[in-house]
């Protein structure tokens, strides 16, 4: 009986440890884009009728940094040039024109400074743009 209890407790501790580690890891990795042709700043890439885009907009609007929203319907050439195939996506464009791209999600904004520099990314699910 004691052996079974020990096994069950060990399994519970292992599951809790895995869940805690998984929550600490970024769920959404950013990718470097060498050149965007966009001015420096933070960009939210969206599509009309996308519920997660609405959530991403609300999340970014509640944060201290300014952002520019680009819609697939109004600026498809930007999406095509950058190869953006999922929304919401976030671009953080530097002064050199290069960017970090979070495909299909919004980075944990608390991990971005007021100046918009990246620290770590994470985000919600994806609506497929199209």
């Amino acid at each position: 009986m004691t052996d079974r209890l020990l096994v069950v407790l060990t399994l519970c501790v292992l599951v809790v440890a895995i869940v805690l580690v998984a929550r600490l890891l970024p769920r959404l990795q950013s990718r470097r884009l060498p050149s965007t042709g966009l001015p420096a700043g933070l960009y939210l890439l969206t599509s009309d009728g996308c519920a997660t885009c609405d959530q991403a907009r609300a999340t970014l609007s509640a944060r201290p940094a300014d952002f520019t929203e680009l819609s697939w319907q109004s600026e498809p050439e930007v999406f095509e040039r950058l190869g953006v195939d999922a929304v919401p996506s976030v671009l953080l464009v530097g002064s050199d024109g290069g960017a970090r791209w979070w495909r299909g999600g919004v980075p944990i904004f608390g991990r971005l400074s007021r100046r918009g520099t990246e620290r770590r990314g994470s985000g919600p699910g994806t609506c497929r743009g199209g």
Side-chain angles (χ1 to χ4, degrees):
M1 182 69 163
T2 305
D3 290 339
R4 285 185 186 176
L5 182 58
L6 186 58
V7 169
V8 169
L9 287 175
T10 302
L11 287 174
C12 288
V13 168
L14 184 61
V15 168
V16 168
I18 290 171
V19 168
L20 290 175
V21 168
R23 292 187 77 195
L24 294 175
L25 295 175
R27 290 176 279 153
L28 182 69
Q29 296 294 324
S30 65
R31 184 177 121 202
R32 176 103 177 111
L33 297 177
S35 177
T36 63
L38 296 170
L42 186 63
Y43 294 84
L44 174 62
L45 307 175
T46 63
S47 180
D48 295 345
C50 171
T52 54
C53 294
D54 296 338
Q55 293 170 354
R57 186 180 306 107
T59 298
L60 290 178
S61 295
R63 304 301 178 176
D66 294 328
F67 67 94
T68 301
E69 184 172 344
L70 301 176
S71 169
W72 181 83
Q73 285 77 10
S74 63
E75 302 190 56
E77 68 283 349
V78 173
F79 284 68
E80 290 174 23
R81 183 177 72 238
L82 299 176
V84 174
D85 61 354
V87 294
S89 285
V90 172
L91 283 177
L92 180 59
V93 180
S95 58
D96 64 351
R100 297 303 303 182
W101 170 32
W102 287 268
R103 179 184 178 274
V106 177
I108 296 175
F109 210 71
R111 304 214 191 268
L112 295 175
S113 74
R114 281 187 175 270
R115 292 177 290 148
T117 56
E118 174 197 2
R119 292 190 187 162
R120 183 175 168 194
S122 184
T126 302
C127 283
R128 298 289 175 201

